[in-house]
Amino acid sequence: MDRNKAYLAAAAAGIPLLFVLWRSARKPSHPPLPPGPPRDPIIGSVRSFPPNRWYESFSEMQKKYGDLIYFDILGTKMLVINSLGVAKDLMETRGTIHSGRPNDVMNISVMGWGWNFVIAQLGQFHTDCRSILKKAMGQQEMEAHRELIKEEATNLIPELMHFEGDPWEIIQPRIGAVTIRLTYGDSVHQEYGKELAKLNEDTLHLVTSVSVQFWLVNFIPALHYLPDWLPLAFKKVGKEGTALQEKVHYWGWELTEKHHKQGIAGPSIALQYIEEGKNTDVARDALGMAYSAGVDNTASALESFISMMLLYPDVQKKAQAELDRVISPGELPEFRDRDALPYLDASWRESQRFNPSTPLGVPHTASQEDVYKGMYIPKGTILTTNIGYMCRDPTIWDEPDVFRPERWLPSHNPNAHLLPDISFVFGFGRRICPGMFLADEVAFTFAAAILQAYDIVPLVGDTLPKEYVYQDAVIRRPEGMRCRFLPRNPLPSRGEYY
Ligand code: HEM
């Protein structure tokens, strides 16, 4: 190449770079962006974005930046919301703008999760799926599921007898059983429950690990159309994810259809729709998400509660004394007893506040630009709710780092009525968790049954930490929690519970 051509080539290569530099340096024509760490040209906030432990890192950064922290990672805009009031303003009052989901090409297009309404944009499909779950597990509908939940609590209690170790391995499958029986019926659970549970767990692990990794295809969607035989990591993971996703989508539903034809299907939400023959596709899609969206979350919340009872034996004793006063010996506490169990209710709320199982919620996106309190939120910004910080925000909670159920009781705290409803741990506005009443009822019923039947104590020789460290994951539970369950009274035989 002669010298002129070399200059020309260098200039041609440099022009786009100069353009990007000029764009990032020029004065913006919109109000200022929310506060955040300094951004470099082109790479933006890459150097200051925390590599892991996002919840803890964002909470630490709150001290410097306050309610909102703005990042720009190679053009992907992200806003962390640390304030409950701001989250409600943006996601409830301005919910038409801030209720989208990130355009996750890897999950939706490469792995085929287009039928997953958890990650779908607002629209008819999302509305239809939500109304299926609302009709099936809304607050008014829970009464119909009480017997099933009670049966599973009855199954749980003997399983914990003399159990030593991490109770996750007992409580998680029981919560899974509630979900599978509710969605696809008892016959499907009896025959295929273990395989369905494993399938959903494998899928959830893959999806959550994919969601927190960097995929070039999310930035350059056209890469998705490259031939499948190319040895690219995203193609390999995509193939594995597609196979799992298709099975989660159809299998439970098809098993219910099969059992329906054989005349052996037990009552379930799927069966209702199969019998009616209406809205079957959308019901199949909505129910396909129930296990992966709900089981680990609920089990984590219950495991956190058990860990708090272990760390705070005085709270455990008070809750047990209340149960002993209200529930007759040989009877299983039920959700309808909740009003008569204010201390247990307060302990459960306090446990959710202290350790919410999804401290960063599920990200929303802004479907159009917005200006909030003079700050500019660009279209497409990913909004992350730091629910974990909101649960310990000192402007809301007195001594937020103290585990104190009494704060919720008007008899102990004259300002208890001013505390926010703890249901914000289930998210916001049009995206608020549609399984929240089910989760609350299952976990509360199981917690009451466990405390009535057992003393939760450490393993012999174990020294308890002051607080458990939580896993660095989307759905979090205490790391290395171990305990024993010592029967408080002789356990009633199964028949005596009914
Ligand atoms: C303690 C247990 C649970 C917690 C802490 C929890 C928390 C959450 C949170 C924070 C969100 C995101 C809300 C938002 O985007 O603002 C969510 C969404 C969702 N949850 Fe739950 N959840 C739990 C149990 C369940 C259960 C039992 C089910 C179903 C059976 C369920 C199904 C869903 C679905 C389908 C969505 C997506 C809603 C949408 O995008 O419109 N969750 N949940």
Side-chain angles (χ1 to χ4, degrees):
M1 199 189 302
D2 66 31
R3 198 179 266 187
N4 282 346
K5 276 193 186 149
Y7 283 143
L8 270 177
I15 286 168
L17 184 64
L18 282 173
F19 178 70
V20 173
L21 284 171
W22 168 76
R23 263 179 55 130
S24 48
R26 109 198 129 116
K27 215 167 174 288
S29 56
H30 50 68
L33 291 161
R39 292 179 290 279
D40 297 313
I42 303 172
I43 61 167
S45 321
V46 167
R47 287 194 301 143
S48 47
F49 194 77
N52 52 28
R53 293 229 159 246
W54 288 357
Y55 153 54
E56 289 86 350
S57 308
F58 294 151
S59 300
E60 190 54 35
M61 290 169 115
Q62 186 284 340
K63 291 183 192 144
K64 187 161 182 195
Y65 299 107
D67 290 350
L68 293 169
I69 313 174
Y70 183 80
F71 297 96
D72 181 332
I73 307 127
L74 294 165
T76 298
K77 291 142 185 40
M78 180 172 171
L79 187 61
V80 176
I81 304 171
N82 295 312
S83 147
L84 180 59
V86 176
K88 283 176 181 279
D89 280 352
L90 293 178
M91 292 172 175
E92 292 176 1
T93 315
R94 300 177 188 214
T96 42
I97 302 178
H98 299 292
S99 301
R101 292 287 194 218
N103 184 19
D104 185 342
V105 180
M106 183 63 191
N107 265 316
I108 296 172
S109 308
V110 180
M111 304 210 313
W113 283 103
W115 61 273
N116 174 353
F117 81 99
V118 180
I119 53 177
Q121 301 304 337
L122 291 187
Q124 198 56 51
F125 172 66
H126 176 256
T127 307
D128 291 347
C129 286
R130 280 191 74 95
S131 71
I132 298 269
L133 289 197
K134 185 161 184 258
K135 248 173 88 186
M137 47 186 83
Q139 192 164 22
Q140 311 307 324
E141 282 56 52
M142 289 316 301
E143 178 84 46
H145 309 313
R146 257 174 214 161
E147 211 45 47
L148 191 159
I149 296 170
K150 190 177 166 187
E151 272 179 43
E152 288 304 332
T154 310
N155 292 334
L156 170 77
I157 295 306
E159 287 175 330
L160 291 171
M161 171 83 109
H162 302 307
F163 174 81
E164 297 194 3
D166 182 348
W168 178 261
E169 59 185 85
I170 308 274
I171 58 174
Q172 196 269 3
R174 276 292 137 229
I175 292 169
V178 173
T179 310
I180 295 173
R181 289 182 64 190
L182 194 64
T183 46
Y184 302 125
D186 196 30
S187 65
V188 170
H189 177 250
Q190 297 243 349
E191 214 175 322
Y192 301 99
K194 282 207 172 90
E195 287 134 288
L196 272 169
K198 172 143 183 11
L199 170 67
N200 275 283
E201 275 142 35
D202 290 350
T203 311
L204 181 64
H205 290 151
L206 186 72
V207 169
T208 42
S209 83
V210 162
S211 305
V212 294
Q213 285 178 56
F214 175 88
W215 299 100
L216 197 56
V217 69
N218 280 341
F219 294 86
I220 312 173
L223 292 179
H224 169 44
Y225 299 104
L226 288 172
D228 288 345
W229 51 262
L230 284 171
L232 297 166
F234 87 88
K235 289 273 176 192
K236 187 170 167 281
V237 175
K239 214 164 146 190
E240 193 188 336
T242 304
L244 285 174
Q245 165 276 112
E246 279 177 358
K247 202 152 183 201
V248 168
H249 191 182
Y250 297 108
W251 198 40
W253 184 271
E254 285 170 357
L255 292 172
T256 315
E257 282 182 328
K258 186 174 103 179
H259 282 191
H260 172 52
K261 280 190 194 130
Q262 292 170 349
I264 57 166
S268 69
I269 307 166
L271 185 67
Q272 246 170 283
Y273 283 90
I274 290 167
E275 282 178 341
E276 274 172 30
K278 279 194 217 145
N279 298 327
T280 45
D281 284 359
V282 71
R284 182 199 58 215
D285 294 356
L287 295 179
M289 288 318 300
Y291 189 107
S292 55
V295 173
D296 279 15
N297 254 334
T298 313
S300 298
L302 181 57
E303 174 148 282
S304 287
F305 177 83
I306 294 172
S307 79
M308 296 319 276
M309 295 302 108
L310 184 65
L311 295 181
Y312 295 85
D314 53 326
V315 173
Q316 182 178 169
K317 292 231 151 17
K318 280 188 214 167
Q320 286 170 326
E322 185 183 66
L323 279 161
D324 293 346
R325 280 197 301 277
V326 173
I327 310 294
S328 315
E331 269 182 29
L332 196 70
E334 290 182 47
F335 195 74
R336 57 173 68 91
D337 300 317
R338 191 168 182 165
D339 286 348
L341 299 166
Y343 190 81
L344 179 61
D345 178 58
S347 310
W348 168 237
R349 284 196 242 182
E350 183 69 343
S351 172
Q352 291 180 86
R353 180 189 77 80
F354 217 67
N355 298 304
S357 43
T358 43
L360 291 180
V362 179
H364 292 208
T365 52
S367 54
Q368 62 188 70
E369 64 179 5
D370 193 10
V371 176
Y372 177 70
K373 293 189 176 167
M375 290 171 283
Y376 180 66
I377 303 175
K379 178 178 173 180
T381 300
I382 297 173
L383 299 117
T384 295
T385 44
N386 191 351
I387 292 172
Y389 181 82
M390 297 169 199
C391 285
R392 305 257 188 141
D393 182 346
T395 64
I396 303 179
W397 315 97
D398 180 34
E399 297 190 288
D401 295 329
V402 177
F403 180 75
R404 193 172 54 225
E406 285 79 3
R407 74 172 74 242
W408 295 96
L409 298 172
S411 52
H412 290 71
N413 175 10
N415 293 325
H417 64 287
L418 298 176
L419 296 178
D421 186 336
I422 197 60
S423 62
F424 74 82
V425 299
F426 290 100
F428 300 93
R430 283 149 209 244
R431 290 288 185 171
I432 194 169
C433 174
M436 61 192 277
F437 300 109
L438 177 67
D440 192 50
E441 182 144 348
V442 172
F444 184 86
T445 309
F446 281 19
I450 294 170
L451 282 185
Q452 191 213 24
Y454 296 109
D455 286 328
I456 303 167
V457 296
L459 261 55
V460 177
D462 260 12
T463 316
L464 293 178
K466 206 167 159 290
E467 236 187 84
Y468 281 102
V469 173
Y470 272 65
Q471 294 170 337
D472 186 17
V474 177
I475 300 172
R476 305 186 353 147
R477 57 194 181 94
E479 193 101 58
M481 211 278 275
R482 305 190 310 171
C483 61
R484 288 185 295 153
F485 295 86
L486 298 183
R488 298 179 63 222
N489 304 299
L491 287 188
S493 70
R494 188 188 157 89
E496 280 178 79
Y497 278 137
Y498 291 96

